[in-house]
Amino acid sequence: MTCISHPLIRPESLEERRYQLAIALRALDANTMVVLPTGLGKTAVALIVAASRLYSHPGRVLMLAPTKPLVEQHLRFFKKFLLSRGGSEPEESDIVMFTGETSPEERARAWEACRVCFATPQVIKNDCLAGRYSLADVVLLVVDECHRAVGNYAYVFLAKHYCASANEPLLLAMTASPGGDQMKVQEVCNNLQIETVETRVETDEDVRPYIHERDIQYVDVYLPEELQAALILLRELVESRLTRLASLNFRVPKPDKLSIKALNALNAQIQQRIRNRDPAAFTAASLHAECMKLRHAISLAETQGSEALRLYLARLGAEGASSAGSKASKRLVGDPAYQHLVEVASGWKEELHPKVAIVRELVQAQLAAHPDSRIIVFATYRDTVQTLVDALTAAGIACERFVGQASRDAARGLSQKEQIASLARFREGEFKCLVATSVGEEGLDVPSTDMVIFYEAVPSEIRSIQRKGRTGRSGSGTIVVLVTKGTSDETFRYVSQTRERAMVTGIKSMSTAPAPAPAPAAESVHAPPLPSTPAATRQMEILAFTPAGPAITVDDRETSSRVAGRLHELGASITLERLEFGDYAVGDRILVERKTVQDFMNTLIERDLFGQLRAMADAAARPILVIEGEDDLYSVRNIHPNAIRGTLAAITVDLGVALIRTRDADDTAEMLYVLAQREGSERGERKVHPKKSYRSVREEQEYALAAFPNVGLKSARLLLEHFGSLKAIIDADPEELASVRGIGEKTAHGIADLARRPYR
């Protein structure tokens, strides 16, 4: 085996693959997207490019990946192969990893000392927003799983910020599957400022020597009579809802053509009539919600099994019985036909779908023939994952589930630390079979996986390619796809195949320029040439030389929104911290709560909107509510317009909260920026209390007392009603103050202490 020779790569350690060298040399010239099937060494390409940039440029490399397990995987790979200048072993501080568990102070210190940093993108975005360190000297930004760079994902902000602020920017984006939609792929390229696309497929001449055989098998599965009978009941329930919708003059799909696309088209009709104030449209919206629930139940029965369906029906029953349940769920669980289905399902004592038994047989056969095999079973739903784990464990097969972090219902998620530990045990052979949801599709580094089983076909070409890429990486592998005949499984099988072919064709068309030939193996890359200045290199924006913009404190839970990114672009000086009230703080007087139109209406109906705003009003002299979005407040939910008008009046008049409407997140950010500019302007001494043309004596007393620490208007009124005057309150002992119902000891001591403290 010929190995790569490079001053910063450990000798005789990394296999030289000519296609990797060709891609790396191209990537040194311009911002590049690399599309390589899983197992062909995207990380090795990143290592070669990183080593070349570190060798020829002073600075550091930043590598981003969407999950902590994937970040840690890249860290292990680089530590295994990368050397420091002079060929020495890297110091502990040279290669670091940042995740949300690393404190901001530690990250700032480690950044100054490191040469290569591995991180999740949200962490780096937060640090850039807060100004904890600069990306100016980052000579290479690597973006893994770059197909995520759409919408407001952190990759989009970071790519733009990096290319604008780095002295010598170069960006390397990597993915196994950017998707078959040419427009979406172009969007990713635009968001990451990609200038060239490099791709290889398994049939390319320079790749073929490194490909291991993968045998893809499709296993036909037939539904048992019991599940077919349940499907008949579910379709009858759907048909009755569609008939009702048709009677309200909506164009409805046929019951056997109830796809998500058809339901979305139906919803578009409903929303249009809601905007036109059609009363029937609100009834239709509820019926549409029932259809969505029933369609999901049908999908579970067809592709997952009786246990998944039974558990879903139980959750629907609990939702319908709850006082907080939606009208759709209440009406559905009250339907006699639905109740009959639940009664039938309660009689199922074991899994009826043949897929579970087929998975068990496939795993047993593989382990009997090859006892050291590693097997991954992919299933979409957690209920199915648990059913499979139980079935395999009962058969004496050591296996573990691999799911995301979120805990849903009674099912606990796995923390990132637990995910990493599980992968380590799997890699080391402590158990042979991993049963995973989609969280296992990206970035699993399990090179010895011999078999991958799709519990169901998936329509996404990205997910299909990622699942298939889990095998055949260092040896031959088998892929088995279970397809229930006559169901969405069959449709999804052909959809994903078509989209995969379209993706390969589309990416090939974007990568037409000839790649530079790599150096002959004998010469290799002992001393890589200084790469030409990338086209992405830009003069620093003129804003970089202007004074810092107005100060705004952003709640750290708001950084995923577009607002924080736009504020940064505008030049605001951002501080990130957890705010007790509001989403944004401007100076010590203004608190801003931001809600989209939908969130505003949902909070009004389902949560305590007034309590939330009242607490903010008590905490700030100038509370502001921003309602974001161009949707009509009166048509979002089925609420009488006068009720909404009354709410708005109460917010502004009773609570004293200023109300501002904005078009979108950018408009919100620009409004906040202007507020901060006005608040921070030096126009004479800022008055402690805002001017008001007239206040009654009672209001003046309340307002004066409300200025004391931790008091606010509510507590001020309680104290004044009890003691009768400001003098009596100031003269009172802390114990007397605390005896007033609603006044705590902390507030009481604060009033007494401030009233008696000498002025210095």
Side-chain angles (χ1 to χ4, degrees):
M1 179 180 75
T2 305
C3 293
I4 285 180
S5 178
H6 187 285
L8 300 189
I9 296 178
R10 197 178 305 278
E12 303 299 316
S13 63
L14 185 65
E15 180 185 10
E16 179 186 298
R17 296 187 176 188
R18 296 180 70 82
Y19 69 89
Q20 291 178 347
L21 286 174
I23 293 170
L25 287 172
R26 174 63 64 79
L28 284 165
D29 286 332
N31 288 354
T32 303
M33 177 191 285
V34 175
V35 182
L36 275 178
T38 301
L40 288 184
K42 293 186 296 296
T43 313
V45 172
L47 175 73
I48 296 167
V49 177
S52 296
R53 289 292 280 185
L54 289 171
Y55 183 79
S56 59
H57 290 69
R60 70 190 87 238
V61 169
L62 173 60
M63 186 166 186
L64 304 174
T67 64
K68 183 179 176 182
L70 193 47
V71 170
E72 190 172 79
Q73 175 181 309
H74 292 322
L75 177 76
R76 287 198 307 269
F77 186 89
F78 270 62
K79 277 190 170 181
K80 182 178 179 181
F81 296 108
L82 192 66
L83 296 174
S84 292
R85 285 187 177 276
S88 62
E89 290 294 322
E91 299 287 335
E92 186 69 27
S93 60
D94 285 343
I95 302 176
V96 298
M97 181 174 82
F98 292 174
T99 67
E101 296 174 7
T102 317
S103 73
E105 294 75 18
E106 287 180 63
R107 296 199 298 266
R109 285 195 298 270
W111 178 266
E112 294 304 320
C114 77
R115 294 209 71 204
V116 187
C117 176
F118 300 87
T120 49
Q122 192 62 51
V123 167
I124 301 296
K125 178 182 177 181
N126 288 353
D127 288 347
C128 289
L129 289 172
R132 295 188 181 111
Y133 44 77
S134 167
L135 303 186
D137 65 346
V138 172
V139 296
L140 176 67
L141 174 64
V142 183
V143 178
D144 195 20
E145 305 294 354
C146 67
H147 55 270
R148 289 173 173 248
V150 293
N152 197 47
Y153 193 70
Y155 280 165
V156 180
F157 167 84
L158 287 172
K160 184 175 182 180
H161 175 63
Y162 170 67
C163 290
S165 62
N167 299 325
E168 298 184 83
L170 183 68
L171 190 146
L172 173 64
M174 309 189 303
T175 180
S177 43
D181 187 325
Q182 195 88 358
M183 295 291 288
K184 288 186 178 177
V185 176
Q186 190 60 56
E187 180 189 357
V188 171
C189 289
N190 293 343
N191 287 340
L192 297 179
Q193 304 193 22
I194 296 298
E195 298 161 74
T196 185
V197 177
E198 277 292 304
T199 183
R200 297 291 189 278
V201 294
E202 295 171 350
T203 54
D204 285 338
E205 188 176 341
D206 56 351
V207 173
R208 204 176 299 143
Y210 307 99
I211 293 298
H212 301 282
E213 183 181 352
R214 291 193 306 187
D215 178 29
I216 301 179
Q217 304 170 9
Y218 292 92
V219 176
D220 291 337
V221 181
Y222 296 88
L223 280 175
E225 291 182 2
E226 296 93 332
L227 280 177
Q228 289 183 14
L231 282 170
I232 290 171
L233 292 173
L234 285 166
R235 288 181 180 129
E236 287 174 353
L237 285 163
V238 168
E239 189 168 2
S240 67
R241 270 89 188 146
L242 293 177
T243 300
R244 179 88 187 278
L245 283 164
S247 72
L248 296 172
N249 297 318
F250 288 94
R251 297 186 306 278
V252 299
K254 294 179 179 179
D256 59 340
K257 304 291 184 184
L258 198 69
S259 64
I260 285 293
K261 183 177 180 181
L263 282 168
N264 287 342
L266 175 58
N267 188 48
Q269 297 178 56
I270 293 168
Q271 294 306 315
Q272 181 58 51
R273 283 172 58 174
I274 285 176
R275 285 191 289 271
N276 294 337
R277 310 289 175 82
D278 182 351
F282 294 103
T283 301
S286 188
L287 288 167
H288 178 270
E290 291 184 61
C291 289
M292 291 288 288
K293 295 176 189 296
L294 290 167
R295 185 196 176 280
H296 183 61
I298 289 171
S299 176
L300 292 176
E302 289 180 341
T303 68
Q304 302 301 303
S306 57
E307 183 64 9
L309 175 60
R310 187 184 64 79
L311 291 170
Y312 179 64
L313 294 176
R315 283 196 289 271
L316 273 182
E319 184 184 335
S322 168
S323 59
S326 65
K327 291 179 182 177
S329 57
K330 291 179 186 295
R331 190 163 49 236
L332 184 58
V333 301
D335 190 313
Y338 176 87
Q339 292 170 355
H340 175 59
L341 174 62
V342 172
E343 185 179 345
V344 169
S346 65
W348 299 333
K349 301 304 179 187
E350 58 184 22
E351 178 55 61
L352 301 175
H353 208 297
K355 282 185 179 180
V356 174
I358 292 171
V359 169
R360 184 174 61 240
E361 291 164 10
L362 287 168
V363 173
Q364 286 175 325
Q366 177 70 21
L367 292 176
H370 307 282
D372 292 329
S373 290
R374 303 287 189 280
I375 303 163
I376 299 180
V377 183
F378 282 111
T380 299
Y381 300 104
R382 288 191 184 188
D383 289 341
T384 305
V385 167
Q386 191 59 56
T387 298
L388 289 168
V389 168
D390 293 342
L392 292 170
T393 303
I397 299 167
C399 65
E400 287 188 13
R401 69 186 186 116
F402 191 80
V403 299
Q405 298 181 70
S407 296
R408 300 189 181 97
D409 301 313
R412 190 182 69 84
L414 297 181
S415 68
Q416 290 185 331
K417 187 175 182 180
E418 289 172 319
Q419 290 174 9
I420 292 168
S422 180
L423 289 183
R425 291 193 298 274
F426 184 47
R427 192 180 297 110
E428 292 162 10
E430 291 185 26
F431 61 93
K432 307 295 186 183
C433 183
L434 191 73
V435 187
T437 57
S438 59
V439 73
E441 292 169 359
E442 282 186 344
L444 276 181
D445 180 24
V446 193
S448 59
T449 303
D450 307 290
M451 174 180 275
V452 168
I453 301 172
F454 288 33
Y455 189 80
E456 68 283 288
V458 288
S460 164
E461 72 280 10
I462 293 176
R463 293 181 60 195
S464 179
I465 288 169
Q466 287 174 332
R467 284 185 174 190
K468 290 174 182 175
R470 298 304 121 204
T471 190
R473 303 181 72 167
S474 57
S476 60
T478 302
I479 299 164
V480 181
V481 184
L482 306 185
V483 181
T484 310
K485 298 294 287 183
T487 71
S488 58
D489 271 355
E490 278 195 303
T491 305
F492 290 168
R493 169 190 171 179
Y494 294 113
V495 166
S496 65
Q497 287 176 332
T498 302
R499 288 177 174 173
E500 283 181 47
R501 287 193 292 268
M503 186 194 79
V504 171
T505 303
I507 292 299
K508 280 288 186 185
S509 70
M510 297 176 71
S511 178
T512 54
E523 298 172 21
S524 209
V525 282
H526 290 281
L530 188 69
S532 59
T533 303
T537 302
R538 295 173 180 83
Q539 171 70 27
M540 289 183 69
E541 289 183 337
I542 196 163
L543 284 175
F545 302 100
T546 61
I552 300 176
T553 300
V554 179
D555 186 275
D556 57 17
R557 292 161 291 193
E558 277 284 298
T559 55
S560 59
S561 76
R562 167 66 183 155
V563 175
R566 180 60 183 149
L567 283 171
H568 183 268
E569 291 170 9
L570 291 168
S573 177
I574 293 174
T575 301
L576 295 180
E577 63 180 60
R578 181 62 55 90
L579 296 176
E580 185 176 1
F581 305 108
D583 298 318
Y584 304 89
V586 179
D588 57 2
R589 303 193 317 149
I590 298 176
L591 276 179
V592 180
E593 176 73 23
R594 166 182 170 261
K595 291 190 180 298
T596 63
V597 171
Q598 186 70 54
D599 186 33
F600 174 77
M601 297 307 297
N602 290 345
T603 309
L604 174 61
I605 297 169
E606 298 163 10
R607 298 188 293 278
D608 184 12
L609 174 65
F610 285 102
Q612 185 180 16
L613 295 179
R614 187 177 292 110
M616 184 178 71
D618 285 344
R622 284 283 186 257
I624 298 173
L625 171 64
V626 170
I627 301 180
E628 180 183 293
E630 295 183 313
D631 292 338
D632 183 1
L633 277 174
Y634 301 109
S635 62
V636 173
R637 299 288 293 260
N638 188 14
I639 303 175
H640 194 283
N642 280 346
I644 298 173
R645 293 184 187 108
T647 298
L648 298 176
I651 289 170
T652 54
V653 177
D654 298 349
L655 300 182
V657 176
L659 190 62
I660 298 175
R661 290 294 304 266
T662 58
R663 291 189 311 275
D664 51 28
D666 281 2
D667 194 21
T668 299
E670 286 155 21
M671 175 58 72
L672 288 168
Y673 189 83
V674 171
L675 284 170
Q677 280 183 314
R678 290 184 63 84
E679 188 70 1
S681 63
E682 299 293 333
R683 297 179 183 171
E685 185 179 341
R686 172 72 67 182
K687 290 188 176 180
V688 175
H689 292 325
K691 182 179 178 181
K692 185 173 179 180
S693 59
Y694 169 76
R695 278 196 186 94
S696 67
V697 173
R698 178 186 177 91
E699 285 179 314
E700 293 286 3
Q701 291 170 323
E702 291 171 351
Y703 204 68
L705 185 57
F708 275 69
N710 303 312
V711 177
L713 286 173
K714 181 179 178 182
S715 297
R717 287 166 184 158
L718 291 172
L719 289 165
L720 284 163
E721 286 170 3
H722 181 85
F723 288 98
S725 71
L726 284 171
K727 184 177 185 304
I729 294 168
I730 290 170
D731 289 342
D733 294 329
E735 293 75 16
E736 293 177 276
L737 295 170
S739 68
V740 178
R741 184 181 178 85
I743 305 300
E745 289 186 10
K746 181 179 177 182
T747 301
H749 281 282
I751 294 170
D753 180 65
L754 186 61
R756 292 160 176 77
R757 187 183 294 272
Y759 181 68
R760 295 190 180 93

